[in-house]
Amino acid sequence: MKLAFIIDPLEKLDPGHDSTVAIMEAAQKLGHEVFVTSVGDLAVINGQAWAKLAALRLQPVILVDGHWQVSQPWSELSESQWMALTECQAVFMRKDPPVTVQYLYATFILELLAPTKTMVINSPQGLREANEKMYTLQFAAVMPPTVVSLDKGLIRQFLEEHGAAVLKPLGGKAGEGILFLDPGDRNFNSLVEISTQHGKEPVMVQRFLPEAKEGDKRIILLDGDPIGAVNRIPSGAEFRGNMAVGGQVAPTTITSREIEICALLKPKLQADGLYFVGIDVIGGYLTEVNVTSPTGIREIDRLEGVRLGEKVIYWLEKQF
């Protein structure tokens, strides 16, 4: 197959961490052609979706003493050229958040592809509808108490009711901008003003889960089914477990409660064409559904001795 990956600049990717690189490596290993492009290199020509694609060759990472060893250089790009995306069997949309206007326009271009001929992972419509914070609210039965608002009074009322809370920007990623709210913090008003852009953007506020100190579990779902998980444990005085802010990773298992959460999500994820998803679970509560470029594959592979990227490609092969 020919597979196109819409990514951030290649030099910004960490081959020892990024799930995108793991999937591309797996595709190459299994005999498929890998091409890369960016959201700015998509176009519509004669009513068809096109992209400026560059063929990519990867030097796979190697696991040595429990750590990924990366060769330098680890990638080789050919000269890019315009190609109709209909020539590809699948397009992986793996651009990191935030979801900008340019990102949204890219999804409209990808919408021109017939899913029976060129599969987009994840589906353009699903990506537009599934804000990674707001989408989670469709599964409120398994979430901690949550409010979404830009009103300081409402957020204050929620905070006093629940004792402590976590504030999350709706467009953030990798733990960026997440704040711990304490009812006695005299900076409360300022924190909310800054986070809401002075009353212009709503934020999500969730009851603080003390179980967070034991870890924030990332579970990878493929077509709605869990295929692996990793626990991200806050380090030092940091309350966030995200790997991007220094959270330590540890092996874990998927509990019966988490299997129930995955089963609850599966029909909706499948209906929305959200095939590759990472959910976050703390203390048996669903806190986020990540659909744009969820990470975790490399860490699960390293800790469990598996190759989830290959599972993704094997699954993709069965779709054709």
Side-chain angles (χ1 to χ4, degrees):
M1 296 188 292
K2 287 185 171 68
L3 306 179
F5 290 78
I6 303 170
I7 61 173
D8 289 295
L10 201 61
E11 61 271 16
K12 291 187 177 181
L13 301 188
D14 178 355
H17 168 69
D18 280 290
S19 293
T20 302
V21 182
I23 297 171
M24 292 192 298
E25 276 186 15
Q28 177 180 284
K29 178 182 177 182
L30 295 175
H32 305 295
E33 296 179 70
V34 176
F35 299 86
V36 295
T37 189
S38 68
V39 292
D41 284 323
L42 301 182
V44 178
I45 303 174
N46 294 327
Q48 287 192 330
W50 285 60
K52 203 172 184 181
L53 296 174
L56 176 68
R57 292 295 300 174
L58 295 164
Q59 186 65 36
V61 299
I62 301 172
L63 191 61
V64 178
D65 297 328
H67 299 280
W68 292 119
Q69 299 296 313
V70 180
S71 300
Q72 294 298 339
W74 59 272
S75 62
E76 180 182 345
L77 276 177
S78 70
E79 186 174 348
S80 58
Q81 58 183 353
W82 287 102
M83 183 187 302
L85 285 174
T86 52
E87 295 185 32
C88 298
Q89 281 68 47
V91 176
F92 285 81
M93 181 54 146
R94 293 288 302 176
K95 170 76 175 68
D96 279 346
V99 175
T100 62
V101 171
Q102 187 182 50
Y103 185 103
L104 290 174
Y105 286 147
T107 67
F108 288 125
I109 293 174
L110 295 174
E111 198 82 69
L112 296 173
L113 295 168
T116 54
K117 295 182 179 179
T118 303
M119 192 174 192
V120 183
I121 304 163
N122 287 316
S123 86
Q125 183 174 346
L127 289 173
R128 286 195 300 273
E129 295 183 356
N131 172 276
E132 297 185 334
K133 305 296 189 297
M134 297 295 290
Y135 190 75
T136 314
L137 294 168
Q138 299 184 63
F139 314 102
V142 293
M143 288 181 67
T146 301
V147 66
V148 176
S149 178
L150 50 73
D151 184 272
K152 281 188 289 188
L154 185 60
I155 295 172
R156 163 63 75 180
Q157 180 181 338
F158 180 88
L159 185 58
E160 291 179 350
E161 179 182 351
H162 294 286
V166 174
L167 181 152
K168 301 177 178 181
L170 295 181
K173 66 176 177 66
E176 294 173 354
I178 295 180
L179 301 172
F180 177 83
L181 297 181
D182 187 309
D185 191 341
R186 290 184 292 179
N187 292 309
F188 170 81
N189 285 339
S190 292
L191 292 174
V192 174
E193 288 164 5
I194 293 169
S195 297
T196 63
Q197 306 296 319
H198 295 278
K200 295 184 179 67
E201 296 181 10
V203 293
M204 174 175 281
V205 183
Q206 293 180 331
R207 186 185 74 190
F208 175 69
L209 300 172
E211 298 92 337
K213 67 180 183 296
E214 300 167 6
D216 179 352
K217 190 177 295 187
R218 164 59 56 84
I219 302 174
I220 299 295
L221 305 183
L222 179 61
D223 200 18
D225 295 319
I227 60 171
V230 63
N231 200 24
R232 302 166 299 177
I233 303 169
S235 59
E238 177 62 71
F239 76 94
R240 298 170 296 177
N242 305 75
M243 290 177 280
V245 295
Q248 302 300 306
V249 297
T252 189
T253 57
I254 300 174
T255 68
S256 58
R257 162 70 171 177
E258 291 157 355
I259 290 173
E260 291 175 3
I261 291 173
C262 295
L264 176 67
L265 270 61
K266 182 175 179 176
K268 178 63 174 170
L269 295 177
Q270 289 182 322
D272 290 340
L274 299 173
Y275 309 106
F276 186 77
V277 170
I279 66 170
D280 296 339
V281 179
I282 299 175
Y285 288 99
L286 177 71
T287 60
E288 286 189 25
V289 179
N290 299 274
V291 303
T292 51
S293 58
T295 59
I297 282 185
R298 284 296 200 207
E299 288 70 30
I300 296 168
D301 286 357
R302 176 170 63 84
L303 294 169
E304 304 292 346
V306 294
R307 288 293 185 271
L308 295 189
E310 293 182 19
K311 280 193 176 184
V312 173
I313 300 302
Y314 285 134
W315 168 82
L316 180 63
E317 290 173 344
K318 292 177 182 177
Q319 310 308 307
F320 296 95

